[in-house]
Amino acid sequence: MAKALPQGRPIHRRALFGLLDADGWGWATVKAFIWLLIIIMTLGYIPDRAYYFVVSRTIDLGILGWTPVNLCPPENGTNMPCPVPVGGTVPWQLSPQEAALPQPRTGGDAAQLGTNLLYIGGTDGSEGGAPSATTFVARVADGNFGGWSEGPALPEGRAETGLANLSGTVYLVGGLGPDGAPTDTVWSIGLDPDTSALGTWAPVTLGEDQNLTLPEPRSGAAVAGVTDGIVVVGGRNANGEPTATVWKSTLDRDGVLGAFAEMPPLVYPVADANIAFEGGFLWVYGGEDANGPVGGVQRARVGEAPAEGEGAAPSPTPAPSGAPTGEQIQAWAVDASLNLPVARTGASGFAANGALYLVGGTDGTTPQPQMYWALPDSTGALPGGWRHVDVMDLPDGLANAAAVVSGSTVFLLGGEAAGGTLTSAVRASLAPEEPFFRLGLVGVVIPALQIPGEIGQQLGYLAAAGVGTGNFVLLVAIGWAFNHKAQIRSWWERRKLAREARAPEPAE
């Protein structure tokens, strides 16, 4: 008598190229994750992109990573790299004649207070020309400024001063006096707290009968505002010799500057150097020593001492005893990897958007046009060193111009060219436009509407809400269809039969 074969294993449907059981937890988990991504995309990412498509100049779709195709707007200049390197500027432009200083000036300082652009002191560049007490003032807005007029005068003429802008007050430190000798004065100017009108220059006071002064006269010193005071670095002494001294005046609880205290000196003396406070470090670069222009960079941390082994080896000089409370300047360090590619003095230096800049200056003989910039990291290093792109250089050589950053624009006012002292100004944008089209392996950047102001924002919200609502309705419809597969299949079959019935019969 024949026996029936034993029952075999049940056949399971397979999914994901046969890797998973279609009725198991693995495939269910994969499907749940996919639907989660779809929900995030439709209700989060796509409405977000719809908003920025209305208000932004460009919109990113996907993840760019490496983008071999880049198209930049003509506003950056036809010869500019695309995209512009980080820290790069739009090519320098000469300001119109209406923005020229009333008189030629060199060796002065510049600052912005509110909507006031100031050019302070300096000389006319003539041999034996006395320092001026004039402050020229112009109105500045949106990267432009108007004509100049005479503003509050200095108590007496000054040139080769140091300047710091701290908490809405401009401090003018030292400089050459009317007799051509270095001075120890510290003057300040601010805005009237009630009317925002420009105030007047006055000595900074320590008390009712005592003015704040430098411990010794200085000209050509590098001055910077730090978190809790101002720092005066190097400069020339009464004998005209470059010095290595560093002094700091610290704000008290009432916001009043105290007497200058000695800090660790520079590794080597320097005058007419550029200074910047960036990333928790003071950077002193360029300038000249007793032998002429230098390309060295000296760096010191402000605040707590660096961790052991961090950054370049510090100078062995310790902080002086009896230093006041507040943030301290640690020992200065030098490192060949930090140095400028060339020696420069009389250059215009500034910091903006996390970058250090040096523009123009002389090599000891003639004004130069080159611009260099570097991007410090958190350890006080300069990855990639100082960078240079020919198209970002000045149109002509320029030295001893006063630099001032206003928003995303930098101005160089006055100075000396090969032909003499200037009244003109040049400017550059520190925020070049990004490419309006970029194509990567898994992403793309495309132009957007960029509707400005409140109208653009409201239209952007409407676009995001409309797209989000439409996507929600679509998700509900898809969910209903998945839950009613039999009805959908039956409807589809009826539609198919109806189309076949309406189709004409083929001719014999």
Short mmCIF file of all heavy atoms in Angstrom, two decimals, residues 355-407:
data_model
loop_
_atom_site.label_atom_id
_atom_site.label_comp_id
_atom_site.label_asym_id
_atom_site.label_seq_id
_atom_site.Cartn_x
_atom_site.Cartn_y
_atom_site.Cartn_z
N ALA A 355 39.13 85.45 9.74
CA ALA A 355 40.34 85.48 8.93
C ALA A 355 41.19 86.69 9.28
O ALA A 355 40.68 87.73 9.71
CB ALA A 355 40.00 85.49 7.44
N LEU A 356 42.51 86.56 9.08
CA LEU A 356 43.46 87.67 9.23
C LEU A 356 43.85 88.17 7.84
O LEU A 356 44.08 87.37 6.94
CB LEU A 356 44.72 87.21 9.96
CG LEU A 356 44.54 86.50 11.32
CD1 LEU A 356 45.89 86.03 11.83
CD2 LEU A 356 43.89 87.43 12.32
N TYR A 357 43.93 89.49 7.69
CA TYR A 357 44.25 90.07 6.38
C TYR A 357 45.44 91.02 6.51
O TYR A 357 45.60 91.71 7.53
CB TYR A 357 43.05 90.85 5.83
CG TYR A 357 41.85 90.00 5.50
CD1 TYR A 357 40.91 89.68 6.48
CD2 TYR A 357 41.65 89.52 4.22
CE1 TYR A 357 39.81 88.91 6.18
CE2 TYR A 357 40.55 88.74 3.90
CZ TYR A 357 39.63 88.44 4.88
OH TYR A 357 38.53 87.67 4.59
N LEU A 358 46.24 91.07 5.46
CA LEU A 358 47.29 92.06 5.32
C LEU A 358 47.26 92.56 3.88
O LEU A 358 47.35 91.76 2.93
CB LEU A 358 48.65 91.47 5.66
CG LEU A 358 49.82 92.47 5.56
CD1 LEU A 358 50.74 92.35 6.77
CD2 LEU A 358 50.62 92.25 4.29
N VAL A 359 47.12 93.88 3.70
CA VAL A 359 46.94 94.46 2.37
C VAL A 359 47.97 95.56 2.16
O VAL A 359 48.13 96.47 2.99
CB VAL A 359 45.52 95.05 2.21
CG1 VAL A 359 45.29 95.47 0.76
CG2 VAL A 359 44.46 94.04 2.64
N GLY A 360 48.65 95.51 1.02
CA GLY A 360 49.58 96.56 0.65
C GLY A 360 50.79 96.62 1.56
O GLY A 360 51.35 95.61 1.96
N GLY A 361 51.22 97.84 1.87
CA GLY A 361 52.45 98.05 2.63
C GLY A 361 53.65 98.18 1.70
O GLY A 361 53.53 98.15 0.48
N THR A 362 54.81 98.33 2.30
CA THR A 362 56.03 98.45 1.51
C THR A 362 57.02 97.36 1.90
O THR A 362 56.96 96.80 2.99
CB THR A 362 56.70 99.82 1.69
OG1 THR A 362 57.40 99.85 2.95
CG2 THR A 362 55.68 100.95 1.65
N ASP A 363 57.93 97.10 0.95
CA ASP A 363 59.02 96.17 1.22
C ASP A 363 60.27 96.91 1.66
O ASP A 363 61.37 96.36 1.68
CB ASP A 363 59.32 95.34 -0.02
CG ASP A 363 59.62 96.20 -1.24
OD1 ASP A 363 59.68 97.44 -1.10
OD2 ASP A 363 59.78 95.63 -2.33
N GLY A 364 60.09 98.18 2.03
CA GLY A 364 61.20 99.03 2.42
C GLY A 364 61.60 100.02 1.36
O GLY A 364 62.39 100.94 1.63
N THR A 365 61.05 99.85 0.15
CA THR A 365 61.39 100.76 -0.95
C THR A 365 60.16 101.37 -1.60
O THR A 365 60.03 102.59 -1.68
CB THR A 365 62.23 100.03 -2.02
OG1 THR A 365 61.50 98.88 -2.48
CG2 THR A 365 63.57 99.59 -1.45
N THR A 366 59.22 100.54 -2.05
CA THR A 366 58.05 101.04 -2.79
C THR A 366 56.77 100.41 -2.26
O THR A 366 56.78 99.27 -1.76
CB THR A 366 58.18 100.72 -4.30
OG1 THR A 366 58.35 99.30 -4.46
CG2 THR A 366 59.35 101.45 -4.92
N PRO A 367 55.63 101.11 -2.38
CA PRO A 367 54.34 100.53 -2.00
C PRO A 367 54.01 99.31 -2.86
O PRO A 367 54.29 99.29 -4.06
CB PRO A 367 53.35 101.67 -2.23
CG PRO A 367 54.17 102.92 -2.19
CD PRO A 367 55.50 102.54 -2.76
N GLN A 368 53.41 98.31 -2.23
CA GLN A 368 53.09 97.04 -2.89
C GLN A 368 51.57 96.83 -2.92
O GLN A 368 50.84 97.34 -2.06
CB GLN A 368 53.75 95.88 -2.14
CG GLN A 368 55.26 95.97 -2.07
CD GLN A 368 55.90 95.86 -3.44
OE1 GLN A 368 55.52 95.01 -4.25
NE2 GLN A 368 56.86 96.74 -3.72
N PRO A 369 51.05 96.06 -3.92
CA PRO A 369 49.60 95.88 -4.03
C PRO A 369 49.07 94.57 -3.46
O PRO A 369 47.85 94.38 -3.42
CB PRO A 369 49.40 95.88 -5.56
CG PRO A 369 50.65 95.24 -6.08
CD PRO A 369 51.76 95.63 -5.13
N GLN A 370 49.92 93.65 -3.03
CA GLN A 370 49.46 92.31 -2.71
C GLN A 370 48.56 92.27 -1.47
O GLN A 370 48.76 93.03 -0.52
CB GLN A 370 50.64 91.35 -2.49
CG GLN A 370 51.44 91.05 -3.73
CD GLN A 370 52.48 92.10 -4.02
OE1 GLN A 370 52.79 92.94 -3.16
NE2 GLN A 370 53.03 92.08 -5.22
N MET A 371 47.60 91.35 -1.49
CA MET A 371 46.78 91.05 -0.32
C MET A 371 47.00 89.59 0.06
O MET A 371 46.96 88.70 -0.78
CB MET A 371 45.29 91.27 -0.59
CG MET A 371 44.42 91.02 0.66
SD MET A 371 42.64 91.05 0.36
CE MET A 371 42.37 89.37 -0.20
N TYR A 372 47.24 89.36 1.35
CA TYR A 372 47.41 88.01 1.89
C TYR A 372 46.38 87.82 3.00
O TYR A 372 46.01 88.76 3.69
CB TYR A 372 48.82 87.83 2.46
CG TYR A 372 49.93 88.02 1.45
CD1 TYR A 372 50.56 89.26 1.31
CD2 TYR A 372 50.34 86.97 0.64
CE1 TYR A 372 51.57 89.44 0.38
CE2 TYR A 372 51.36 87.15 -0.30
CZ TYR A 372 51.97 88.38 -0.43
OH TYR A 372 52.97 88.56 -1.34
N TRP A 373 45.92 86.58 3.14
CA TRP A 373 45.01 86.28 4.26
C TRP A 373 45.27 84.87 4.76
O TRP A 373 45.82 84.02 4.06
CB TRP A 373 43.55 86.47 3.86
CG TRP A 373 42.92 85.35 3.07
CD1 TRP A 373 42.18 84.31 3.56
CD2 TRP A 373 42.96 85.16 1.65
NE1 TRP A 373 41.76 83.48 2.55
CE2 TRP A 373 42.22 83.99 1.37
CE3 TRP A 373 43.55 85.85 0.60
CZ2 TRP A 373 42.06 83.51 0.07
CZ3 TRP A 373 43.39 85.37 -0.70
CH2 TRP A 373 42.65 84.23 -0.95
N ALA A 374 44.90 84.64 6.03
CA ALA A 374 45.09 83.35 6.67
C ALA A 374 43.89 83.04 7.55
O ALA A 374 43.19 83.95 8.00
CB ALA A 374 46.38 83.34 7.50
N LEU A 375 43.67 81.75 7.81
CA LEU A 375 42.52 81.29 8.58
C LEU A 375 43.00 80.55 9.82
O LEU A 375 43.33 79.36 9.75
CB LEU A 375 41.64 80.38 7.72
CG LEU A 375 41.11 81.00 6.42
CD1 LEU A 375 40.50 79.94 5.52
CD2 LEU A 375 40.08 82.08 6.74
N PRO A 376 43.09 81.24 10.97
CA PRO A 376 43.56 80.57 12.19
C PRO A 376 42.58 79.50 12.66
O PRO A 376 41.36 79.61 12.48
CB PRO A 376 43.65 81.71 13.21
CG PRO A 376 43.53 82.98 12.43
CD PRO A 376 42.76 82.65 11.20
N ASP A 377 43.12 78.44 13.28
CA ASP A 377 42.25 77.45 13.91
C ASP A 377 42.26 77.65 15.42
O ASP A 377 42.88 78.58 15.95
CB ASP A 377 42.65 76.03 13.51
CG ASP A 377 44.05 75.63 14.02
OD1 ASP A 377 44.59 76.33 14.90
OD2 ASP A 377 44.59 74.63 13.54
N SER A 378 41.58 76.77 16.14
CA SER A 378 41.41 76.95 17.58
C SER A 378 42.69 76.74 18.37
O SER A 378 42.76 77.11 19.54
CB SER A 378 40.34 75.97 18.09
OG SER A 378 40.72 74.63 17.83
N THR A 379 43.71 76.16 17.76
CA THR A 379 44.97 75.92 18.46
C THR A 379 45.99 77.03 18.21
O THR A 379 47.11 76.97 18.72
CB THR A 379 45.59 74.58 18.04
OG1 THR A 379 46.00 74.66 16.66
CG2 THR A 379 44.59 73.45 18.21
N GLY A 380 45.64 78.03 17.40
CA GLY A 380 46.58 79.09 17.08
C GLY A 380 47.47 78.77 15.91
O GLY A 380 48.47 79.47 15.68
N ALA A 381 47.14 77.75 15.13
CA ALA A 381 47.89 77.43 13.91
C ALA A 381 47.21 78.11 12.72
O ALA A 381 46.07 78.57 12.81
CB ALA A 381 47.96 75.93 13.71
N LEU A 382 47.92 78.14 11.60
CA LEU A 382 47.39 78.70 10.35
C LEU A 382 47.39 77.61 9.28
O LEU A 382 48.32 77.53 8.46
CB LEU A 382 48.22 79.91 9.89
CG LEU A 382 48.30 81.11 10.83
CD1 LEU A 382 49.18 82.19 10.23
CD2 LEU A 382 46.90 81.66 11.12
N PRO A 383 46.39 76.73 9.29
CA PRO A 383 46.37 75.66 8.28
C PRO A 383 46.36 76.25 6.86
O PRO A 383 45.56 77.10 6.54
CB PRO A 383 45.05 74.93 8.57
CG PRO A 383 44.72 75.28 9.98
CD PRO A 383 45.24 76.66 10.20
N GLY A 384 47.26 75.78 6.05
CA GLY A 384 47.35 76.31 4.70
C GLY A 384 48.19 77.57 4.60
O GLY A 384 48.43 78.06 3.49
N GLY A 385 48.63 78.13 5.75
CA GLY A 385 49.47 79.32 5.73
C GLY A 385 48.75 80.54 5.20
O GLY A 385 47.52 80.62 5.18
N TRP A 386 49.53 81.53 4.78
CA TRP A 386 48.99 82.76 4.22
C TRP A 386 48.68 82.54 2.74
O TRP A 386 49.52 82.01 1.99
CB TRP A 386 49.98 83.90 4.40
CG TRP A 386 50.12 84.32 5.83
CD1 TRP A 386 50.95 83.81 6.77
CD2 TRP A 386 49.36 85.35 6.48
NE1 TRP A 386 50.78 84.43 7.98
CE2 TRP A 386 49.81 85.41 7.83
CE3 TRP A 386 48.37 86.24 6.08
CZ2 TRP A 386 49.29 86.30 8.77
CZ3 TRP A 386 47.84 87.13 7.01
CH2 TRP A 386 48.30 87.16 8.33
N ARG A 387 47.50 82.96 2.33
CA ARG A 387 47.02 82.69 0.97
C ARG A 387 47.05 83.96 0.13
O ARG A 387 46.94 85.07 0.64
CB ARG A 387 45.60 82.11 1.04
CG ARG A 387 45.50 80.97 2.02
CD ARG A 387 44.11 80.44 2.20
NE ARG A 387 44.05 79.49 3.31
CZ ARG A 387 43.10 78.60 3.48
NH1 ARG A 387 42.10 78.53 2.61
NH2 ARG A 387 43.13 77.77 4.51
N HIS A 388 47.15 83.75 -1.18
CA HIS A 388 47.24 84.87 -2.09
C HIS A 388 46.66 84.47 -3.44
O HIS A 388 46.93 83.39 -3.95
CB HIS A 388 48.70 85.32 -2.27
CG HIS A 388 48.90 86.36 -3.31
ND1 HIS A 388 49.49 86.10 -4.53
CD2 HIS A 388 48.56 87.67 -3.33
CE1 HIS A 388 49.52 87.20 -5.26
NE2 HIS A 388 48.95 88.16 -4.56
N VAL A 389 45.80 85.34 -3.99
CA VAL A 389 45.26 85.17 -5.34
C VAL A 389 45.47 86.50 -6.06
O VAL A 389 45.06 87.56 -5.57
CB VAL A 389 43.76 84.80 -5.30
CG1 VAL A 389 43.20 84.70 -6.72
CG2 VAL A 389 43.55 83.48 -4.56
N ASP A 390 46.10 86.46 -7.22
CA ASP A 390 46.49 87.68 -7.92
C ASP A 390 45.33 88.64 -8.14
O ASP A 390 45.47 89.86 -7.98
CB ASP A 390 47.11 87.33 -9.28
CG ASP A 390 48.49 86.72 -9.14
OD1 ASP A 390 49.09 86.89 -8.06
OD2 ASP A 390 48.95 86.07 -10.10
N VAL A 391 44.16 88.10 -8.51
CA VAL A 391 43.04 88.97 -8.86
C VAL A 391 42.50 89.72 -7.64
O VAL A 391 41.77 90.71 -7.79
CB VAL A 391 41.92 88.14 -9.53
CG1 VAL A 391 41.22 87.25 -8.52
CG2 VAL A 391 40.91 89.04 -10.24
N MET A 392 42.86 89.30 -6.43
CA MET A 392 42.41 89.98 -5.21
C MET A 392 43.39 91.06 -4.73
O MET A 392 43.15 91.68 -3.70
CB MET A 392 42.19 88.96 -4.09
CG MET A 392 41.14 87.93 -4.40
SD MET A 392 40.92 86.75 -3.06
CE MET A 392 39.98 85.46 -3.88
N ASP A 393 44.46 91.30 -5.50
CA ASP A 393 45.40 92.35 -5.13
C ASP A 393 44.81 93.73 -5.40
O ASP A 393 43.86 93.88 -6.18
CB ASP A 393 46.70 92.20 -5.92
CG ASP A 393 47.51 91.00 -5.48
OD1 ASP A 393 47.26 90.49 -4.37
OD2 ASP A 393 48.38 90.56 -6.26
N LEU A 394 45.40 94.76 -4.77
CA LEU A 394 45.01 96.14 -5.02
C LEU A 394 45.33 96.53 -6.47
O LEU A 394 46.24 95.97 -7.09
CB LEU A 394 45.74 97.07 -4.08
CG LEU A 394 45.41 96.95 -2.58
CD1 LEU A 394 46.44 97.70 -1.76
CD2 LEU A 394 44.01 97.46 -2.30
N PRO A 395 44.60 97.51 -7.02
CA PRO A 395 44.92 97.97 -8.38
C PRO A 395 46.34 98.52 -8.48
O PRO A 395 47.00 98.36 -9.51
CB PRO A 395 43.88 99.06 -8.64
CG PRO A 395 42.77 98.78 -7.68
CD PRO A 395 43.40 98.17 -6.48
N ASP A 396 46.82 99.18 -7.42
CA ASP A 396 48.17 99.76 -7.40
C ASP A 396 48.75 99.60 -6.00
O ASP A 396 48.03 99.35 -5.03
CB ASP A 396 48.14 101.24 -7.78
CG ASP A 396 47.63 101.47 -9.20
OD1 ASP A 396 48.31 101.02 -10.14
OD2 ASP A 396 46.55 102.07 -9.34
N GLY A 397 50.06 99.78 -5.89
CA GLY A 397 50.70 99.72 -4.60
C GLY A 397 50.17 100.79 -3.65
O GLY A 397 49.89 101.92 -4.06
N LEU A 398 50.02 100.44 -2.37
CA LEU A 398 49.45 101.35 -1.38
C LEU A 398 50.05 101.04 -0.02
O LEU A 398 50.11 99.88 0.40
CB LEU A 398 47.93 101.20 -1.34
CG LEU A 398 47.16 102.08 -0.36
CD1 LEU A 398 47.29 103.55 -0.75
CD2 LEU A 398 45.69 101.67 -0.32
N ALA A 399 50.47 102.10 0.69
CA ALA A 399 51.04 101.93 2.03
C ALA A 399 50.45 102.97 2.97
O ALA A 399 50.02 104.05 2.55
CB ALA A 399 52.56 102.07 1.98
N ASN A 400 50.43 102.62 4.25
CA ASN A 400 50.00 103.53 5.33
C ASN A 400 48.57 104.02 5.15
O ASN A 400 48.22 105.12 5.60
CB ASN A 400 50.96 104.73 5.43
CG ASN A 400 52.36 104.32 5.80
OD1 ASN A 400 52.55 103.50 6.71
ND2 ASN A 400 53.35 104.85 5.09
N ALA A 401 47.73 103.22 4.51
CA ALA A 401 46.30 103.53 4.43
C ALA A 401 45.62 103.05 5.70
O ALA A 401 46.05 102.09 6.34
CB ALA A 401 45.68 102.87 3.20
N ALA A 402 44.53 103.72 6.07
CA ALA A 402 43.77 103.35 7.27
C ALA A 402 42.67 102.38 6.87
O ALA A 402 41.87 102.67 5.97
CB ALA A 402 43.17 104.58 7.92
N ALA A 403 42.63 101.21 7.50
CA ALA A 403 41.63 100.19 7.18
C ALA A 403 40.50 100.23 8.19
O ALA A 403 40.72 100.39 9.39
CB ALA A 403 42.27 98.80 7.18
N VAL A 404 39.27 100.05 7.71
CA VAL A 404 38.11 99.96 8.58
C VAL A 404 37.12 99.00 7.95
O VAL A 404 36.84 99.08 6.75
CB VAL A 404 37.48 101.35 8.83
CG1 VAL A 404 37.05 102.02 7.54
CG2 VAL A 404 36.30 101.23 9.79
N VAL A 405 36.60 98.08 8.77
CA VAL A 405 35.61 97.11 8.31
C VAL A 405 34.23 97.61 8.68
O VAL A 405 33.97 97.93 9.85
CB VAL A 405 35.87 95.72 8.93
CG1 VAL A 405 34.78 94.74 8.52
CG2 VAL A 405 37.24 95.20 8.52
N SER A 406 33.35 97.70 7.69
CA SER A 406 31.98 98.13 7.90
C SER A 406 31.05 97.06 7.36
O SER A 406 30.88 96.93 6.14
CB SER A 406 31.72 99.47 7.20
OG SER A 406 30.36 99.86 7.34
N GLY A 407 30.46 96.27 8.26
CA GLY A 407 29.62 95.16 7.80
C GLY A 407 30.45 94.16 7.03
O GLY A 407 31.45 93.64 7.51
#
